[in-house]
Amino acid sequence: MATADFEIESDEAGARLRLIGDWTTAGLSHHRGRLGPRLGRELGDRSVKALDLSNMGRLDTTGALILSRVLGRDLDADAWSSRPEAGRIYQRVVKVECNEGKPLKRTRGLTRMFAKIGHGVYDIGGEAILSMAFLGRLITATGSALKHPGRIRWPAWVSQIERAGLDAIPIVAVTSFFIGAVVAFIGADLLQQFGFDVFAVELIAISVLREFAVVIAAILLAGRSSSSFAAEIGSMKMNQEIDAMQVMGVNPFQALVIPRLAAMVIMLPLLTFIAMVAGLFGGALVSWSQLSLGPDFFLQRLGTINDIGNHLFVGLVKAPVFAVVVAAIGCRQGMAVSGDVESLGRRVTAAVVQAIFAIIFLDAVFALIFLELNL
């Protein structure tokens, strides 16, 4: 390997450039990027009219790039007649260099903001359409499962019931216990100021039975199970396992979506009831320690609350609806995963966020409905 170098000869016709050595990445490495600027300084205002390539070794795109930045389009194809292969490399590099597009102008911040809003609205519309399509397929698969119960994959149902429901009992019970305790603490501090200590039982019972138990259980399952559904189905989508199931004649909705949906519908009411019991226990414990309201009095007062059955019904009737929403969103996002890990991460995040938002929104809708029904 010969180090790249050059010599310049001047005559009346103009400058004659003699290239020496290998004008390649390796041959130019010894100059540490200084050969091009030196060539430009020595040429000055003179234009190169001819090339002497008799002492030049090899030429690659690195060497051609350095020459093109100094010589530009001043050289025609005849200057490379003795080394046509080197001339082709040079002409190609010059073409790319001279045809580089101008950098795009940076749009104003206000324009970018409205563009982002427009893209967001468009994405919301696209997600809504795809969600409706998924809902239609889900309804069809559910109807097919009810029509042909012999095709139901019972082992998958039992497995999902255990993983999505039974394994979630400890976290749901502990969280609801502390929620009930927090409500009792707030009630005790507030009601003691007015001498209405005994009404802390009503505050704890109504808030836990109507709202906190079912909402906390659903949100915990949204973070725990909805993300799990999206990750599991999305991973299978990435590995083309779902495509393989379709080739074998297996309906992915029957094998993957329906068992998860059924497990959530079965287990969320049970988890809601456990959350109610745990929340009441936490509230009773705090009432006993802070207000000196013993367990016997708490239970007696609990039994005298008007419409206690309605409050229990209101809490439990929300559970199946929340279960369908959590399971459907998780499976829908899993089915929408493309072939890369980044898509999987986005869909898992979207499953959790959308499920929690849907739970809070539906809870507000239920509150309005029960208000109109006087329940």
Side-chain angles (χ1 to χ4, degrees):
M1 179 195 70
T3 303
D5 204 348
F6 64 88
E7 293 179 358
I8 300 176
E9 299 176 359
S10 298
D11 53 22
E12 295 179 357
R16 180 183 180 86
L17 177 62
R18 177 181 298 167
L19 300 180
I20 303 171
D22 293 329
W23 283 70
T24 60
T25 303
L28 293 164
S29 60
H30 298 284
H31 296 282
R32 301 183 181 276
R34 294 189 292 268
L35 187 61
R38 182 163 68 88
L39 175 59
R41 288 194 304 269
E42 294 189 15
L43 278 175
D45 296 334
R46 294 175 293 178
S47 60
V48 176
K49 298 301 182 181
L51 290 177
D52 184 355
L53 306 177
S54 58
N55 294 323
M56 188 186 77
R58 295 178 297 167
L59 176 74
D60 64 5
T61 54
T62 303
L65 180 62
I66 293 176
L67 291 173
S68 68
R69 289 179 175 176
V70 178
L71 307 179
R73 290 184 178 270
D74 293 342
L75 293 175
D76 54 19
D78 294 337
W80 299 88
S81 58
S82 61
R83 295 287 298 273
E85 77 284 357
R88 287 193 294 269
I89 295 175
Y90 178 81
Q91 294 299 332
R92 182 168 296 180
V93 171
V94 168
K95 184 178 179 180
V96 172
E97 279 288 294
C98 295
N99 292 338
E100 280 187 345
K102 295 181 179 180
L104 296 176
K105 293 183 179 179
R106 184 174 177 83
T107 56
R108 292 181 297 177
L110 187 62
T111 304
R112 292 198 305 273
M113 182 187 71
F114 281 109
K116 190 171 184 179
I117 293 173
H119 284 300
V121 173
Y122 179 80
D123 292 340
I124 290 174
E127 282 288 320
I129 294 174
L130 293 176
S131 297
M132 294 301 295
F134 178 86
L135 181 61
R137 294 182 63 187
L138 179 60
I139 293 174
T140 303
T142 303
S144 177
L146 295 176
K147 185 177 179 180
H148 304 285
R151 301 178 184 176
I152 295 178
R153 302 170 180 271
W154 296 109
W157 283 41
V158 175
S159 175
Q160 292 299 328
I161 286 173
E162 179 183 3
R163 294 173 56 193
L166 297 180
D167 292 346
I169 289 177
I171 185 63
V172 170
V174 172
T175 304
S176 299
F177 172 84
F178 285 110
I179 291 295
V182 169
V183 172
F185 272 119
I186 296 174
D189 182 62
L190 180 63
L191 295 175
Q192 275 184 330
Q193 301 178 17
F194 304 99
F196 296 149
D197 301 7
V198 293
F199 291 104
V201 178
E202 282 82 350
L203 175 64
I204 296 167
I206 294 174
S207 60
V208 170
L209 294 179
R210 290 185 69 97
E211 296 294 337
F212 287 120
V214 63
V215 171
I216 292 300
I219 289 178
L220 287 174
L221 287 187
R224 184 181 182 276
S225 298
S226 184
S227 60
S228 175
F229 294 166
E232 291 172 358
I233 297 177
S235 178
M236 296 179 67
K237 188 78 177 296
M238 289 174 56
N239 295 330
Q240 299 182 342
E241 296 178 38
I242 294 179
D243 296 335
M245 293 171 63
Q246 292 176 331
V247 170
M248 293 186 295
V250 178
N251 187 344
F253 273 73
Q254 294 287 351
L256 301 176
V257 179
I258 296 299
R260 289 169 170 81
L261 180 65
M264 293 293 291
V265 171
I266 293 172
M267 290 308 300
L268 189 54
L270 175 61
L271 291 173
T272 300
F273 182 76
I274 293 173
M276 290 176 178
V277 174
L280 292 176
F281 181 70
L285 191 62
V286 173
S287 299
W288 189 11
S289 61
Q290 297 295 317
L291 301 176
S292 300
L293 302 178
D296 293 338
F297 178 83
F298 188 92
L299 292 176
Q300 180 182 1
R301 186 77 182 180
L302 191 66
T304 59
I305 297 176
N306 293 331
D307 299 328
I308 187 69
N310 288 341
H311 300 314
L312 180 65
F313 168 78
V314 166
L316 290 177
V317 79
K318 299 177 186 178
V321 179
F322 290 170
V324 171
V325 169
V326 170
I329 289 177
C331 295
R332 150 81 179 91
Q333 294 298 331
M335 288 290 189
V337 171
S338 57
D340 57 288
V341 178
E342 183 181 358
S343 173
L344 178 63
R346 288 199 309 268
R347 291 297 178 176
V348 171
T349 303
V352 177
V353 173
Q354 291 182 11
I356 294 176
F357 173 80
I359 289 167
I360 297 174
F361 174 76
L362 289 175
D363 188 60
V365 173
F366 272 117
L368 294 176
I369 294 173
F370 292 135
L371 181 65
E372 292 295 327
L373 297 177
N374 293 321
L375 289 177

